[in-house]
Amino acid sequence: MSTVASEPAILDGKCPTGPMAERWEQRKRDLKLVAPNNRRKYTVIVVGTGLAGGSAAASLAELGYNVLSFCVQDSPRRAHSIAAQGGINAAKNYQNDGDSVWRLFYDTVKGGDFRSRESNVYRLADLSRNIIDQCVSQGVPFAREYGGTLANRSFGGAQVSRTFYCKGQTGQQLLLGAYQAQMRQVAAGKVKMFSRREMLDLVVINGVARGIVTRDLVTGAMETYAADAVVLCTGGYGNVYYLSTNAKNCNVTAAWRCHKKGALFANPCYTQIHPTCIPVSGDHQSKLTLMSESLRNDGRVWVPKTQGETRPASQIPDDQRDYYLERRYPSFGNLAPRDISSRAAKERCDAGYGVGMGGMSVYLDFADAIRRDGEATIRAKYGNLFEMYEQITGENPYQVPMRIYPAVHYTMGGLWVDYNLQSNLPGLYVLGEANFSDHGANRLGASALMQGLADGYFVIPYTIADHLATSKHEKVTTDHPAFKEALIESRNITERLLNTKGRRSVDSFHRALGKIMWDKVGMARTAEGLQQAISQIRELRDEFWRDVKVLGSGDNFNQMLEHAGRVADFMEFAELLAIDALERDESCGGHFREEHQTPDGECQRDDENYCHVSAWEFQGVGNQPVMHKEPLSFEEVHLATRSYK
């Protein structure tokens, strides 16, 4: 599908055929190339400088393309990829414990509850091995065994140790590797860096993405940039829930504005709730803090067996503790996948067995691991995470158990892309968390970093060349009328926000939206609740545009205006997320419909009616979007009931 249709259509993911293990090599053979002496003639815009954006910009510039790189922060080193803690998956099988490319592929398809595209997942598993070699050569300080070999640990949804890590700072160290590579190209003159710029619109000419509109967040100036292709690497939309583990800068604006220009939005209802976050402590909070899933390697999750227990954890004997993950999922225990672990924690707390403030926490206890291995060993593995927990809560996790509860963390949905990572709009490529392609209905831990780097280092350099080599579009500049029209549209939104002059703060609207989303479109969803959410979102959006108060002006530094623009987009996007959740009348992965569960509370899929990608076409604010379907087929990993017992 090359252009957006006005009627529902069957989408083609343009996946290669033939043996699964040979498909990526086959695609690379089929792709057209751009000769080295011609690459300097092309300009590529890369929006975002996290792992996907940083690695893409560095790789494309290294090949000889002219890259314009846009960073919403003051430095790429502040991209949210830096917050990833526990590790990155790769099928190296250094532990000789039965891992393989096929096993990582299988675990990922199963972990996503059979709602991902097999061809993409196999490519990701295969490329995972290259990522580690790339990062080691960049000097990323992965943990090592005594003999010098790279260390591995386990993550949820796997029965092997395949996660490479740098204590609890893996995202930071990987980002520094990509940052170094990118800044080398800045110094070489092949990457031009634009910091403190926020993308406000996509410029589409004759159905092809040809540039963007940005706002300089320091001066307030609106700017336009033209290119031969646009690569979007702007992360996920978890902050639509207000409270999430995402940085406050994370937003849906760039992806949503692309959607409004014709890019299809796929599976927005697939949102991931992470089971090990520091619980909410009051209304003063604007975000939540993640405790790495790696902690579940040594920490045991439990609640008291007595409802309403008030004794300190140390005074509750072992036989009066319910290690409920070990009880319910003996094969995986505390390393059950995130969606399953999150719902299990919610079930225990809802049943009255929770601990802490309001009984809305469970324990993550390291006492057994400390007795077994010694505090020094645990400190070496997780020291910075324990320090962070103590700074936030005032409790020493070496002496008392951590208290954790699920929170919004990652989003598996995103803009629809084909196997080449190109959206339905030619020239618009979408990488990392911003696309929908690899994780299905639930992402396994330590796979986000893997996908971002695979997309940026090893996929986009091949696939974008095919577009550039086969496109015969004339060169355009920002003098083209389409740029002026997009600039006017962006200015109109800003002026409307500033001229509303209501009484309520932007943050109060964001909090109200987040409460609707968490209560009605959170860990457990019902048809009635989703219908209520859609109605409430529409009412809140109308009130937002009647009564929001945005101080200051648009021609200088104005963080309230930044926030207002993002919340305005969340108000529109939230409706689509709820519509998608209502339409998908099944349970799968992170999308749990209470009407569809097994007798023991697990997801009950409907493969006959919902084994497809739902890709939505924008029809105007408040109008019912059009859903296009991409059927999913499973040749290597056959459809089965997902079980971790």
Side-chain angles (χ1 to χ4, degrees):
M1 182 176 179
S2 59
T3 58
V4 174
S6 57
E7 296 294 332
I10 300 299
L11 298 173
D12 180 8
K14 299 178 181 176
C15 298
T17 56
M20 190 68 65
E22 299 174 10
R23 290 185 179 181
W24 177 230
E25 289 301 320
Q26 176 188 322
R27 174 53 51 88
K28 288 193 291 184
R29 289 196 298 269
D30 294 340
L31 293 171
K32 303 297 183 182
L33 301 178
V34 177
N37 59 313
N38 286 330
R39 293 173 195 154
R40 65 177 68 96
K41 300 176 183 178
Y42 293 102
T43 298
V44 179
I45 286 173
V46 180
V47 186
T49 54
L51 287 182
S55 59
S59 300
L60 294 173
E62 184 79 35
L63 287 171
Y65 298 107
N66 301 301
V67 177
L68 307 181
S69 176
F70 293 85
C71 174
V72 75
Q73 297 90 0
D74 58 346
S75 166
R77 289 175 297 175
R78 297 188 189 277
H80 189 56
S81 298
I82 200 172
Q85 298 169 346
I88 176 172
N89 288 330
K92 285 289 197 180
N93 195 30
Y94 284 166
Q95 307 302 309
N96 197 31
D97 58 358
D99 200 12
S100 64
V101 169
W102 193 91
R103 176 61 60 179
L104 176 53
F105 160 65
Y106 169 84
D107 286 345
T108 305
V109 171
K110 177 184 174 183
D113 214 354
F114 298 91
R115 291 294 178 262
S116 54
R117 190 192 281 154
E118 268 196 332
S119 295
N120 286 67
V121 177
Y122 193 93
R123 176 176 64 187
L124 176 63
D126 192 25
L127 291 176
S128 69
R129 301 172 298 173
N130 299 351
I131 296 170
I132 303 304
D133 296 338
Q134 169 88 2
C135 294
V136 168
S137 69
Q138 291 175 333
V140 173
F142 287 118
R144 293 179 180 267
E145 305 288 359
Y146 179 76
T149 57
L150 297 183
N152 288 135
R153 57 190 177 199
S154 298
F155 257 62
Q159 291 179 309
V160 297
S161 295
R162 64 163 66 102
T163 304
F164 295 77
Y165 62 97
C166 312
K167 284 193 173 181
Q169 307 170 359
T170 312
Q172 178 181 15
Q173 299 304 325
L174 291 172
L175 184 63
L176 288 174
Y179 170 74
Q180 291 173 139
Q182 185 177 13
M183 295 310 292
R184 178 174 177 268
Q185 296 305 315
V186 170
K190 296 305 294 180
V191 172
K192 189 171 183 181
M193 177 67 66
F194 298 89
S195 60
R196 299 295 286 152
R197 298 311 204 280
E198 181 163 34
M199 177 178 163
L200 297 183
D201 209 352
L202 178 73
V203 179
V204 180
I205 300 175
N206 297 324
V208 181
R210 299 304 303 271
I212 62 172
V213 177
T214 68
R215 180 174 183 269
D216 185 321
L217 298 181
V218 176
T219 68
M222 298 272 193
E223 304 164 335
T224 55
Y225 298 89
D228 297 289
V230 176
V231 181
L232 197 72
C233 312
T234 52
Y237 46 83
N239 276 344
V240 69
Y241 289 85
Y242 186 74
L243 285 179
S244 81
T245 66
N246 292 188
K248 293 302 292 180
N249 258 350
C250 297
N251 62 83
V252 78
T253 289
W256 187 247
R257 303 288 173 91
C258 290
H259 175 59
K260 294 175 78 168
K261 282 298 177 72
L264 302 180
F265 213 114
N267 299 337
C269 75
Y270 290 163
T271 54
Q272 181 172 84
I273 313 297
H274 198 293
T276 54
C277 300
I278 298 178
V280 176
S281 59
D283 291 339
H284 64 283
Q285 284 183 270
S286 61
K287 74 176 300 294
L288 298 173
T289 302
L290 171 70
M291 287 286 99
S292 170
E293 183 173 300
S294 64
L295 294 170
R296 291 197 278 152
N297 273 285
D298 290 298
R300 300 181 71 190
V301 180
W302 64 275
V303 293
K305 289 183 177 179
T306 303
Q307 291 178 326
E309 177 67 75
T310 59
R311 288 178 293 173
S314 60
Q315 296 180 17
I316 302 175
D318 198 66
D319 62 357
Q320 296 178 29
R321 301 178 179 187
D322 179 14
Y323 296 95
Y324 59 88
L325 290 177
E326 298 172 30
R327 169 174 56 82
R328 292 182 61 178
Y329 309 102
S331 294
F332 285 76
N334 295 298
L335 286 175
R338 292 176 175 179
D339 60 319
I340 288 174
S341 300
S342 293
R343 283 193 296 274
K346 180 180 186 297
E347 184 276 328
R348 289 289 81 192
C349 291
D350 289 349
Y353 296 95
V355 300
M357 187 177 69
M360 296 304 291
S361 316
V362 300
Y363 287 129
L364 181 60
D365 196 339
F366 293 86
D368 286 352
I370 291 172
R371 281 193 295 269
R372 180 186 68 237
D373 299 329
E375 183 176 319
T377 298
I378 300 303
R379 191 179 296 275
K381 288 181 178 180
Y382 313 113
N384 63 308
L385 297 173
F386 278 44
E387 291 168 12
M388 182 167 64
Y389 181 88
E390 185 171 8
Q391 289 175 1
I392 293 172
T393 67
E395 299 174 358
N396 184 345
Y398 293 103
Q399 298 174 1
V400 298
M402 290 183 178
R403 289 177 296 104
I404 58 171
Y405 192 73
V408 174
H409 177 57
Y410 188 87
T411 55
M412 287 73 68
L415 294 184
W416 184 87
V417 293
D418 61 19
Y419 185 75
N420 290 352
L421 303 186
Q422 184 171 221
S423 75
N424 59 296
L425 289 178
L428 175 62
Y429 289 80
V430 189
L431 277 55
E433 190 179 359
N435 75 31
F436 88 99
S437 66
D438 290 15
H439 305 297
N442 174 63
R443 176 177 68 81
L444 292 184
S447 289
L449 306 184
M450 176 175 63
Q451 184 206 352
L453 292 180
D455 289 354
Y457 281 137
F458 300 112
V459 179
I460 194 65
Y462 287 94
T463 59
I464 203 170
D466 186 74
H467 168 72
L468 298 174
T470 56
S471 301
K472 302 303 178 184
H473 306 292
E474 63 181 19
K475 291 288 184 180
V476 298
T477 68
T478 54
D479 293 329
H480 192 284
F483 284 89
K484 297 178 181 178
E485 291 172 10
L487 190 61
I488 291 171
E489 290 175 12
S490 297
R491 284 176 174 159
N492 287 343
I493 294 173
T494 297
E495 290 173 5
R496 185 182 178 191
L497 288 167
L498 291 168
N499 293 334
T500 300
K501 301 187 184 304
R503 297 165 297 174
R504 284 187 62 180
S505 70
V506 175
D507 200 59
S508 72
F509 278 108
H510 196 179
R511 283 181 181 272
L513 177 64
K515 179 170 174 46
I516 294 170
M517 296 300 291
W518 181 250
D519 290 347
K520 305 289 175 59
V521 203
M523 270 194 283
R525 304 162 177 179
T526 65
E528 181 183 6
L530 292 168
Q531 289 166 348
Q532 291 173 354
I534 293 168
S535 176
Q536 291 171 359
I537 291 166
R538 290 172 176 170
E539 292 174 2
L540 185 65
R541 184 172 65 232
D542 290 343
E543 184 180 354
F544 175 85
W545 285 111
R546 288 196 310 268
D547 204 25
V548 70
K549 185 178 185 65
V550 182
L551 300 174
S553 68
D555 55 3
N556 54 27
F557 180 75
N558 188 341
Q559 288 187 305
M560 185 178 290
L561 178 60
E562 294 173 34
H563 191 197
R566 296 165 188 170
V567 172
D569 290 324
F570 278 140
M571 289 284 182
E572 296 174 3
F573 168 72
E575 182 179 348
L576 178 65
L577 195 162
I579 288 173
D580 186 44
L582 179 62
E583 189 282 332
R584 186 166 287 276
D585 195 18
E586 66 164 353
S587 290
C588 57
H591 170 62
F592 189 74
R593 289 283 295 269
E594 292 185 1
E595 306 98 321
H596 303 290
Q597 54 183 303
T598 62
D600 54 354
E602 304 295 347
C603 286
Q604 190 171 58
R605 297 196 320 265
D606 180 353
D607 294 332
E608 181 178 353
N609 295 304
Y610 292 98
C611 194
H612 62 252
V613 176
S614 299
W616 297 91
E617 177 188 347
F618 184 70
Q619 295 290 298
V621 177
N623 296 328
Q624 180 69 20
V626 174
M627 185 183 73
H628 307 280
K629 295 181 181 180
E630 179 194 345
L632 294 172
S633 60
F634 294 90
E635 304 168 29
E636 297 287 330
V637 183
H638 298 295
L639 287 166
T641 300
R642 190 174 60 146
S643 175
Y644 291 93
K645 296 184 176 181

